[in-house]
Amino acid sequence: MSIRAPRTLTLLVLAAALTATAAIPAVAASPSGDEPRITSTSSLTGTGRMDYPVPGNDIRVTVDARASYGPGHFPVRSEGTFRISHRTDAMNGEPASDHWGEFAVDCLTTGGPVATVTGRLVRTDHGGPWEKAGYLKRHVRMGVSFYVADVANGNGGPSRIGLSGGAEKGELPLKKCMAPAPDATVVAGGYTLRDRTPVR
């Protein structure tokens, strides 16, 4: 048998609960009110052509990414874009091609001369392989890693890039901030990496 509390008692209990909640001190928030206080920032910019073992292929990665950090190793906010382009010469009876994809950055991490960038595909060439594969429709996430050589400061060259590729249907998606090791040599162009710098 259930016992229904009088309406007056129910309202009193609800009022007491609201009063108790209001009495709990609020946790200190950042000026924006929705993220921890920013303690450091980092950035990665530039364009580089990566070595590719097949002649007649030109693969370039352009990046303009920034990150803001609070406590911990992962950024609380990342922004910017990166673009991967793949041009091929006419060969073996196939015409020349120029395919590309642009990504909205959702994570930039840096550590010394190394950085990783991930983002979701937001634009690509019409009728290109990434559109045909459904990458654009699914806004597939891809990751790029960078080793940025700085010979003057003891970080010997050459610089390197690593590309994740896109996950096919049925495969686990790539997580934010993850990319393979930078294994392909940068043969033209280069990058400027500013590691985590304290906010003053």
Side-chain angles (χ1 to χ4, degrees), residues 159-178:
S159 294
R160 296 179 180 273
I161 301 173
L163 300 178
S164 71
E168 303 296 336
K169 288 184 178 180
E171 294 180 342
L172 293 175
L174 184 75
K175 290 187 177 181
K176 288 172 61 174
C177 309
M178 302 187 75

Side-chain angles (χ1 to χ4, degrees), residues 80-165:
T81 60
F82 67 90
R83 178 185 176 107
I84 302 172
S85 66
H86 186 176
R87 297 180 180 178
T88 60
D89 296 338
M91 64 181 82
N92 303 322
E94 296 294 329
S97 65
D98 182 4
H99 301 303
W100 53 269
E102 291 184 358
F103 298 78
V105 170
D106 58 21
C107 184
L108 165 68
T109 61
T110 66
V114 179
T116 64
V117 180
T118 57
R120 291 194 176 270
L121 184 65
V122 292
R123 293 180 60 214
T124 189
D125 57 294
H126 180 64
W130 287 349
E131 186 179 69
K132 291 179 179 178
Y135 286 6
L136 182 59
K137 184 177 181 180
R138 293 186 284 128
H139 296 290
V140 164
R141 177 183 288 123
M142 291 178 63
V144 189
S145 61
F146 300 83
Y147 166 71
V148 181
D150 184 357
V151 178
N153 291 316
N155 297 327
S159 294
R160 296 179 180 273
I161 301 173
L163 300 178
S164 71

Side-chain angles (χ1 to χ4, degrees), residues 29-35:
S30 68
S32 64
D34 59 359
E35 64 183 27

Side-chain angles (χ1 to χ4, degrees), residues 69-74 196:
Y69 295 82
H73 297 289
F74 291 96
R196 293 176 62 163

